[in-house]
Amino acid sequence: AVGLVSLPALAEKAAREKPVEIAADNAEVDAKTKTTVFKGQVVSTQGTLVIRGDKVTMHDDGKGRQAATALGDPATFRQKRDGVDEYIEGRGQRMDYDSQRQIIQLRDNAEIKRGGDWARGQLIEYNSENGTYREVGDTPRAEGAPAWSGGRVRAVIQPRSAPATPQGR
């Protein structure tokens, strides 16, 4: 079962223009492959986006596209929503981030939260550009079924108040 939920959860747009700051216990840099592996209580911050993990591997393709893979128990992210005082948070055993597409994929016991809303599944793909996420279930798929056809997903979406309408309409 695959779910696609579109909630107004746009990430803060100014954040992607800010530098990435990383703190870790140690780092190994490979200039030839443009890859850096950070280990030990890694915290990566870019604007309001904060990614935490036990190990974070970052790769720069030399054309302005950066990708990161965070592993942890769990790896987590937190990001402020654009225009409101609210954050969206996610977690999974593995997290993949694509800076150009503004996509975060959470894998293995994945969960995403915004206010009182949450969703859980085996894979959650969050698009901070348009505020949508896609979920893939956490139970085994049937033999011969497509790879994306995992089991059931779980979600809770809180009721929203309808905007007040003027009297006489």
Side-chain angles (χ1 to χ4, degrees):
V2 176
L4 179 64
V5 180
S6 181
L7 300 172
L10 298 177
E12 196 170 56
K13 300 212 183 299
R16 70 183 78 155
E17 302 301 321
K18 296 186 178 176
V20 177
E21 298 179 22
I22 301 168
D25 291 341
N26 61 65
E28 298 173 17
V29 179
D30 185 335
K32 187 175 182 178
T33 63
K34 298 181 183 170
T35 301
T36 304
V37 178
F38 298 91
K39 294 180 183 174
Q41 300 179 36
V42 184
V43 179
S44 173
T45 306
Q46 182 178 25
T48 64
L49 174 62
V50 178
I51 294 175
R52 297 176 186 271
D54 299 326
K55 176 181 175 183
V56 175
T57 302
M58 298 194 78
H59 177 75
D60 186 329
D61 71 358
K63 299 174 187 171
R65 183 179 195 164
Q66 297 172 329
T69 298
L71 304 175
D73 194 18
T76 65
F77 84 90
R78 184 172 197 247
Q79 188 171 38
K80 186 176 186 311
R81 290 187 50 222
D82 204 26
V84 294
D85 189 25
E86 187 174 80
Y87 287 82
I88 189 156
E89 300 176 85
R91 58 193 276 147
Q93 299 301 111
R94 176 185 172 127
M95 179 185 331
D96 293 300
Y97 174 63
D98 181 331
S99 69
Q100 185 175 21
R101 294 176 43 224
Q102 295 293 299
I103 300 283
I104 296 175
Q105 288 185 335
L106 304 164
R107 299 175 187 277
D108 302 325
N109 298 315
E111 181 176 275
I112 195 163
K113 295 180 185 180
R114 191 210 70 190
D117 298 345
W118 61 263
R120 290 187 186 127
Q122 189 61 18
L123 166 70
I124 297 174
E125 184 175 273
Y126 169 61
N127 183 325
S128 65
E129 183 73 30
N130 63 22
T132 62
Y133 54 92
R134 178 179 68 95
E135 306 168 55
V136 176
D138 57 1
T139 58
R141 61 186 169 90
E143 187 173 322
W148 54 263
S149 67
R152 298 175 63 79
V153 297
R154 303 272 185 220
V156 171
I157 301 171
Q158 300 298 325
R160 304 285 190 264
S161 300
T165 55
Q167 295 273 336
R169 286 195 175 185

